[in-house]
Amino acid sequence: MGLNTGDKFKFRIRPINDGGYGDGLSTDSFVEIKQLQEKPKIFLDPSVKQTLEAHASGTLRLMASVSGKPYPAIHWQKDGIDLDRRGVIQTQNGATQLTIRNLAKSDSGTYTLVADNQSGTIKKMVNLVVKDSPDPPCNIKLGELQDDGSLLITWDPPINDGGNPIKHYCLQRRDAYSRSFQTIKDKISGTSYLVRDLKPGCTYYFRIIAENELGRGEGHQSNLLTVVQKRGPLHIERYKYGKMDLNKGANFNLALKPVTASERGSAKFTCATVGRPDPEIAWYKDGVRIKANNKYSMRNNYGVCTLTIHDCRLRDAGMYKCEANNQIGRSICEANLNVLPSAR
């Protein structure tokens, strides 16, 4: 006799022997046909351990068989929240499987398989640790800038260490006008470091990078730091100087050069003198001092001295000398005059 769940019947029981049927006994009310109740049961695949470890970019597969009457409703959770988008869930013929590809650190957590029916609810939990490089450190704090240009930097460990203990940290620095960071200190075991030799007027960014067995994670950058030189009280230091002697002996910074002139033409010698006090100038021809007259014109324009010889004759050829003389010293320079005879 086929009975369907939900059908209702009345039942009667009558005894029988060789003499026939006796009086029967019937149920007072209808009896509803109900399905046999059985609490849910979950059997995880033997390959599924209580705690699983997987590498980043790998694949997670959690498999289990489920039973119960009526057949339980099945759903997967991560950290107590139903999985909606992350992963693929397949349930068929009493078996269920959760597959997550391209694992990331964020997939670490507690995965729970929940099966429930009218008789109860059962859960099986698996802890997953995805091993990867660590997250960036947190809460970078810049201390007070000291007079010697040093600064204490502190930070907190990453929220997620990538499933491996942090081995050490790397501290980097860049100028605000530079794009690339330079390493200040590598393999820092703690969560603080004293930076030295910060230059007044410069602006810096700092970056902290954590490292574990699988490598370095992403860095965490600090706020901009501008190093301002502290201003103390105005202080003027007066220096005592000895008496300076500005006097200088007479000398030439432009000497005479040889001159060639034509007969009955003019010849001009030029030189330049320096000295303090201003030198006195004297001109000589062949060792004999000459003076200004119709034959010779002499000028001294702020140390530029000229001697002009008018109406040159053959006898004017010879060695001309200029002498500069002051209280500190004496100097001379000389040059030859060559007079070319005119055509007859």
Side-chain angles (χ1 to χ4, degrees):
M1 180 179 180
L3 300 178
N4 296 319
T5 302
D7 291 344
K8 295 181 179 181
F9 299 91
K10 278 190 175 183
F11 295 92
R12 184 175 64 180
I13 301 174
R14 294 176 63 187
I16 186 172
N17 60 16
D18 291 340
Y21 287 97
D23 294 333
L25 180 64
S26 300
T27 58
D28 294 333
S29 59
F30 285 94
V31 176
E32 182 179 354
I33 304 301
K34 295 182 178 180
Q35 187 178 32
L36 180 64
Q37 301 290 313
E38 181 181 311
K39 290 183 178 181
K41 294 180 181 179
I42 297 176
F43 302 94
L44 291 175
D45 189 88
S47 63
V48 179
K49 307 297 182 183
Q50 187 69 33
T51 299
L52 296 176
E53 293 183 352
H55 287 282
S57 301
T59 299
L60 170 69
R61 288 187 178 88
L62 298 179
M63 296 173 288
S65 59
V66 180
S67 64
K69 293 183 179 181
Y71 189 76
I74 296 173
H75 44 109
W76 290 87
Q77 297 177 339
K78 176 181 180 290
D79 297 329
I81 301 175
D82 287 346
L83 286 170
D84 293 330
R85 299 180 181 178
R86 186 67 173 137
V88 177
I89 299 173
Q90 296 173 308
T91 301
Q92 187 177 8
N93 299 328
T96 183
Q97 175 176 299
L98 169 65
T99 304
I100 300 178
R101 303 182 187 278
N102 296 321
L103 289 170
K105 290 194 296 286
S106 58
D107 292 317
S108 296
T110 300
Y111 289 81
T112 304
L113 173 59
V114 182
D116 55 20
N117 63 12
Q118 298 171 0
S119 298
T121 301
I122 189 171
K123 299 180 180 180
K124 289 288 186 178
M125 292 181 291
V126 175
N127 294 317
L128 174 66
V129 178
V130 179
K131 292 185 174 291
D132 196 0
S133 57
D135 284 350
C138 307
N139 301 325
I140 297 180
K141 296 180 181 179
L142 305 180
E144 290 292 331
L145 183 65
Q146 303 302 309
D147 293 338
D148 61 357
S150 63
L151 176 75
L152 181 65
I153 301 180
T154 61
W155 59 90
D156 293 337
I159 296 176
N160 189 329
D161 62 5
N164 288 287
I166 300 298
K167 293 176 61 179
H168 45 249
Y169 298 91
C170 175
L171 174 60
Q172 298 178 332
R173 179 183 73 189
R174 74 173 175 89
D175 187 271
Y177 303 101
S178 174
R179 294 184 178 181
S180 59
F181 280 90
Q182 295 182 342
T183 298
I184 300 176
K185 180 66 176 179
D186 199 2
K187 301 186 184 305
I188 302 173
S189 58
T191 55
S192 64
Y193 187 76
L194 184 65
V195 180
R196 302 181 185 276
D197 300 327
L198 298 178
K199 298 179 180 179
C202 293
T203 52
Y204 299 100
Y205 285 104
F206 297 94
R207 184 170 67 180
I208 311 294
I209 302 173
E211 183 173 349
N212 63 13
E213 289 289 345
L214 296 180
R216 291 186 175 183
E218 295 183 0
H220 180 39
Q221 181 174 288
S222 71
N223 295 326
L224 181 66
L225 170 70
T226 300
V227 181
V228 179
Q229 189 171 20
K230 293 184 178 180
R231 294 185 178 181
L234 181 63
H235 175 69
I236 300 176
E237 185 174 356
R238 301 184 182 276
Y239 292 92
K240 294 182 179 180
Y241 296 96
K243 184 177 180 180
M244 296 183 65
D245 187 1
L246 300 179
N247 292 333
K248 184 177 181 180
N251 204 348
F252 290 91
N253 55 12
L254 178 64
L256 295 175
K257 293 182 179 180
V259 175
T260 299
S262 299
E263 189 177 9
R264 296 190 179 277
S266 297
K268 185 176 182 180
F269 287 99
T270 301
C271 61
T273 64
V274 292
R276 186 181 179 89
D278 294 336
E280 294 182 358
I281 304 300
W283 290 92
Y284 296 84
K285 177 185 181 297
D286 295 330
V288 178
R289 184 170 181 174
I290 56 179
K291 296 184 179 181
N293 52 33
N294 292 334
K295 182 68 174 178
Y296 301 108
S297 297
M298 303 174 186
R299 299 189 63 182
N300 183 354
N301 187 13
Y302 298 102
V304 178
C305 305
T306 58
L307 169 66
T308 303
I309 305 168
H310 304 282
D311 191 20
C312 288
R313 301 301 176 97
L314 295 178
R315 62 178 178 271
D316 292 324
M319 185 65 66
Y320 287 80
K321 178 176 67 174
C322 181
E323 179 184 81
N325 188 19
N326 65 10
Q327 300 173 359
I328 309 302
R330 170 178 172 271
S331 183
I332 62 172
C333 64
E334 55 187 10
N336 188 64
L337 171 63
N338 183 29
V339 180
L340 300 177
S342 60
R344 300 293 182 181

